[in-house]
Amino acid sequence: LTFPLLLVTFLVSFGSSMLYGYNLAVVNSPAVYIKAFYNSTWSQRYGHGLAHGPLTLFYSLTVSIFALGGLVGSLLVGLLVERYGRNGTLSRSTLLVLLAGGFMGFSRELGSPEMVIIGRSITGLHSGICLSVVPLYLGEIAPKNLRGFLGLMPSIFICLGVFFAQVLGLPELLGKDRFWPLFLSVVVIPASLQLLLLHWFPESPRYLLMERNDVCGATEALRRFLGTHNVQNMIKEMKEEQQSLSSIEMVSVWQLLRDRSVRWQTLSVVVVNASMQLSGIDAVWFYTNTIFENSGIPVSQIPYTTVGTGAIEVVAGVIGCFTIEKLGRRPLIITGFCTMGICLAGITISLLLQTTLPWMRYVSVACVVGIIAGFCMGPAGIPFLMTAELFTQSYRPAAYIIGGSLNWLCNFTVGFIFPFLQMSAGAFCYLVFCAICLLVALYVYLVIPETKNKTFMEISDSFA
């Protein structure tokens, strides 16, 4: 593990992955103030305020438009990484964050709720691109014995992003009415650092050699990342893979979906990426305060309870990162989904019994902690890592488009319908997510092989 390899991992995780986590949780704390802003602006424009239903719809759109932007971004990944490379795509995408920060930061001054929604959609566009490109970049520059460790590093920063959003959302910091536009636009700081520093690091060696036929550039990039001149074995391995795929051009999404030779890999990517969002984690992140309020936690204590859960999820992410190369991918993701399923059932039970057993509110808090910890320990990062590992070079961009699109589509669906599902089904809404988690854990156990310390060709052969 060399310093350049570790540094570029921290940089892209801090400047891209962390922003995804931050934007997931940033709308949770200032929800009351944003709704009040929407209501007052509507009143100024039309002479009357918004009713509860339309206001909930308007705010749900603000929350979920982030996912629609992410969906568009994920569809662009294949085109961008082919044209600009992995490093080049990440550098250029940071400009989107600067634009979005301007929209959200000046929205209240200009009296425009539309600017908040546009800014959220642009941050989603950035996250949709980076959520696929960061693990793709790290998976291609990492030696096979470090691929799991470096591949899960972005998931730690996703958890850190959620945690920073929870901390900055405290009433003592930016969790006040006059600060919420600044709170939403803080994302420009990490993005600016990435924009300034990322061009000092080389492009992915696999991209340079296998897609640009630049052997000298790939050799130099490997030497810089690995800190050694002896990289001929890795160059030889990439050339062998290139030769085995020489008759195969870059595969499109439609070609990937029709290719029977990789149908189990494709199905596995579909299952694990869609289940990340359908597991209910976004419902917990978007509406943590609402869940705690329904559990009977005093309103004054909710922000601090939320921060406590954020700290635990960071610890869980670190544990997952440092154990993945020892335990493997399958045990972590199976344990994570099983833990989430059990805790989602626990939330349902605690909410149903809290009127007769007041101490059940603490069970609700413990279950929320369990859901987030289980997610951050495995399902948060392993699906993106698996997408890189399950396919060879020619299939990989199309696989990321499919996985990313499903991820964001399910993200939007959960973020938009959860408030209405909660109103109609009450505590039983969490049982839907519980069933999904347990079924996915069973699928991973039965179908997906362990990929630890295997080359991409070995993994492909194991599926065949």
Side-chain angles (χ1 to χ4, degrees):
L1 183 62
T2 62
F3 183 70
L5 200 57
L6 190 61
L7 194 59
V8 74
T9 303
F10 276 116
L11 181 61
V12 297
S13 299
F14 176 74
S16 295
S17 302
M18 190 177 74
L19 303 190
Y20 168 68
Y22 186 89
N23 284 308
L24 280 178
V26 72
V27 291
N28 181 45
S29 176
V32 175
Y33 307 129
I34 295 174
K35 288 179 182 178
F37 168 63
Y38 287 176
N39 201 32
S40 63
T41 305
W42 193 273
S43 181
Q44 290 171 7
R45 290 181 182 179
Y46 304 107
H48 60 86
L50 285 162
H52 178 69
L55 184 59
T56 301
L57 182 64
F58 208 4
Y59 182 72
S60 293
L61 178 63
T62 305
V63 172
S64 55
I65 198 72
F66 173 72
L68 282 186
L71 175 61
V72 175
S74 66
L75 293 173
L76 297 175
V77 165
L79 176 65
L80 293 174
V81 297
E82 185 178 351
R83 176 173 296 183
Y84 301 115
R86 284 62 164 151
N87 185 302
T89 298
L90 291 173
S91 297
R92 288 168 172 81
S93 67
T94 54
L95 299 174
L96 294 171
V97 181
L98 305 183
L99 179 63
F103 270 104
M104 295 185 293
F106 292 102
S107 58
R108 188 172 61 181
E109 296 296 323
L110 299 176
S112 175
E114 295 83 0
M115 291 179 68
V116 179
I117 296 174
I118 292 171
R120 286 279 296 169
S121 65
I122 296 174
T123 57
L125 180 64
H126 169 264
S127 292
I129 295 169
C130 294
L131 209 57
S132 293
V133 179
V134 168
L136 177 61
Y137 184 43
L138 297 181
E140 290 186 352
I141 67 175
K144 63 182 180 181
N145 62 307
L146 292 174
R147 211 163 53 220
F149 173 74
L150 297 183
L152 274 197
M153 195 70 73
S155 69
I156 294 179
F157 278 84
I158 291 173
C159 297
L160 277 172
V162 173
F163 178 63
F164 287 150
Q166 292 165 341
V167 171
L168 291 176
L170 291 174
E172 294 83 356
L173 298 174
L174 300 181
K176 298 178 182 178
D177 187 20
R178 67 179 184 272
F179 289 141
W180 68 261
L182 175 63
F183 187 28
L184 295 181
S185 58
V186 163
V187 290
V188 301
I189 298 174
S192 299
L193 287 173
Q194 178 174 287
L195 183 63
L196 290 172
L197 300 176
L198 190 56
H199 71 278
W200 293 103
F201 295 92
E203 184 53 79
S204 161
R206 298 182 69 84
Y207 169 79
L208 292 173
L209 190 148
M210 302 181 70
E211 296 184 35
R212 288 290 179 260
N213 289 317
D214 184 0
V215 179
C216 294
T219 303
E220 181 60 29
L222 277 174
R223 286 172 176 171
R224 285 189 60 187
F225 279 131
L226 303 182
T228 177
H229 284 271
N230 185 20
V231 296
Q232 294 310 310
N233 286 338
M234 296 190 70
I235 292 292
K236 181 181 177 182
E237 178 191 315
M238 286 190 281
K239 283 184 175 180
E240 288 174 354
E241 184 178 343
Q242 184 186 34
Q243 289 173 0
S244 69
L245 301 172
S246 59
S247 60
I248 304 175
E249 297 181 354
M250 296 302 292
V251 174
S252 68
V253 171
W254 180 242
Q255 289 171 324
L256 176 59
L257 291 174
R258 295 182 62 189
D259 193 335
R260 295 177 62 86
S261 67
V262 291
R263 63 181 181 271
W264 281 107
Q265 290 97 311
T266 304
L267 180 60
S268 299
V269 165
V270 167
V271 169
V272 295
N273 278 278
S275 62
M276 277 182 66
Q277 312 304 333
L278 297 180
S279 65
I281 188 62
D282 283 326
V284 173
W285 269 337
F286 286 150
Y287 302 102
T288 305
N289 287 12
T290 304
I291 293 171
F292 285 158
E293 188 176 343
N294 292 340
S295 301
I297 304 297
V299 175
S300 61
Q301 297 178 16
I302 287 177
Y304 307 99
T305 308
T306 302
V307 169
T309 63
I312 292 171
E313 73 190 54
V314 173
V315 174
V318 172
I319 292 172
C321 188
F322 281 96
T323 57
I324 187 170
E325 292 300 350
K326 293 182 178 180
L327 300 179
R329 282 64 157 155
R330 291 176 74 248
L332 279 181
I333 198 167
I334 291 170
T335 302
F337 276 119
C338 287
T339 301
M340 294 176 71
I342 293 169
C343 291
L344 284 160
I347 285 184
T348 301
I349 295 170
S350 63
L351 290 176
L352 291 174
L353 296 180
Q354 68 178 2
T355 53
T356 54
L357 301 172
W359 55 269
M360 275 291 179
R361 71 180 63 176
Y362 303 109
V363 175
S364 294
V365 175
C367 288
V368 169
V369 170
I371 292 168
I372 294 175
F375 181 77
C376 291
M377 193 174 294
I382 291 178
F384 301 113
L385 175 62
M386 277 187 169
T387 305
E389 291 185 330
L390 297 185
F391 292 93
T392 52
Q393 190 81 7
S394 57
Y395 290 97
R396 207 169 287 137
Y400 268 106
I401 292 174
I402 293 173
S405 300
L406 279 170
N407 192 306
W408 287 104
L409 189 61
C410 296
N411 184 309
F412 171 79
T413 302
V414 173
F416 189 77
I417 71 170
F418 180 72
F420 304 100
L421 180 65
Q422 197 176 37
M423 284 190 290
S424 60
F428 293 102
C429 67
Y430 299 102
L431 293 180
V432 177
F433 303 125
C434 169
I436 291 171
C437 288
L438 297 179
L439 287 173
V440 172
L442 181 63
Y443 175 89
V444 174
Y445 177 77
L446 294 175
V447 175
I448 299 180
E450 182 55 66
T451 58
K452 181 180 70 172
N453 287 338
K454 293 181 180 179
T455 66
F456 295 122
M457 293 301 291
E458 288 171 344
I459 295 167
S460 182
D461 291 342
S462 69
F463 266 100

